[in-house]
């Protein structure tokens, strides 16, 4: 598996606070079969010109030294589009130095002209990878279709598929519509797991989708290759109940 969205660079944002916390998660991920992981600290689009790239590279090197058995550790950012029109074309901003750039919308909701901004970013030569659209208030299947048409790739969080609230319902609709390109853990030094989502997909018979969403497409994005279209997934409610038990540890 390849995880392109995590907050495991210690002490730089609201993710893992210490090297020890990061090491525990990375050890578990290695045991789960995660082969590569991109650390994506938060960054505002309005602050990309002063992004602490060198400092984060130093921390990543130290993390590699402290956890030699970890998955291959790569660097990127999760860039909040707090302003439109920012230049995100620097290789320092891409996932593992690629043209794929992980972006998110503000928590206040879907901004006006969101599709136009994603199209502008795509026209600039990068591939905007939109993080967790299921979390944006008011997000619909129609929105995601529009964003994909604008050239964005879509990343859902692994933890949402076992829930029964609005966010989980949106994520299920996106999977059922074949509108998700990859899944990532978005781990913040906690129990969130890409392996749980992959196991659930296999359990419901979506073996091909499991490989595409957790391995093939994340790998293609960081290699500057177009993601493979993921077929719509037929989802049964009982499967979500089983995943919820898996994610919460309740059996």
């Amino acid at each position: 598996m390849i995880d392109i969205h995590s907050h495991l660079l210690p002490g730089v944002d609201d993710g893992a606070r210490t090297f020890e916390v990061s090491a525990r998660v990375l050890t578990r991920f290695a045991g789960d079969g995660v082969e590569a992981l991109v650390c994506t600290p938060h960054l505002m689009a309005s602050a990309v010109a002063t992004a602490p790239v060198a400092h984060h590279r130093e921390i990543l090197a130290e993390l590699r030294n402290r956890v030699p058995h970890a998955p291959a550790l790569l660097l990127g950012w999760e860039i909040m589009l707090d302003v439109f029109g920012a230049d995100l074309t620097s290789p320092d901003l891409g996932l593992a130095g690629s043209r794929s750039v992980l972006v998110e919308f503000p928590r206040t909701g879907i901004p006006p002209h969101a599709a136009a901004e994603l199209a502008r970013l795509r026209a600039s030569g990068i591939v905007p990878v939109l993080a967790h659209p299921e979390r944006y208030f008011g997000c619909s299947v129609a929105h995601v279709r529009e964003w994909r048409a604008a050239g964005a790739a879509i990343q859902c969080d692994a933890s949402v598929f076992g829930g029964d609230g609005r966010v989980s319902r949106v994520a299920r609709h996106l999977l059922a519509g074949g509108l998700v390109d990859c899944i990532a853990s978005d781990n913040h030094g906690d129990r969130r797991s890409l392996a749980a989502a992959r196991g659930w997909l296999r359990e419901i018979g979506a073996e091909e989708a499991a490989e595409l969403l957790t391995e093939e497409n994340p790998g293609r994005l960081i290699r500057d290759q177009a993601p493979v279209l993921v077929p719509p997934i037929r989802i049964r409610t009982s499967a979500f109940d089983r995943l919820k038990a898996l994610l919460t540890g309740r059996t």
Side-chain angles (χ1 to χ4, degrees), residues 55-138:
H55 179 55
H56 283 190
R57 286 175 177 163
E58 291 174 0
I59 298 173
L60 188 71
E62 178 65 17
L63 187 59
R64 287 171 176 153
N65 289 334
R66 293 200 187 198
V67 197
H69 53 278
L73 297 177
L74 308 166
L75 191 60
W77 304 87
E78 182 184 15
I79 301 177
M80 171 77 74
L81 298 178
D82 63 322
V83 297
F84 282 4
D87 182 359
L88 305 186
T89 59
S90 169
D92 290 335
L93 301 177
L95 296 169
S98 72
R99 291 185 297 107
S100 299
V101 179
L102 187 68
V103 298
E104 66 173 335
F105 293 143
R107 302 297 170 84
T108 51
I110 300 169
H113 314 298
E117 175 64 4
L118 294 173
R120 184 196 68 82
L121 290 171
R122 186 70 185 89
S124 74
I126 69 171
V127 178
V129 181
L130 184 61
H132 43 60
E134 68 277 3
R135 285 170 42 180
Y136 306 130
F137 183 77

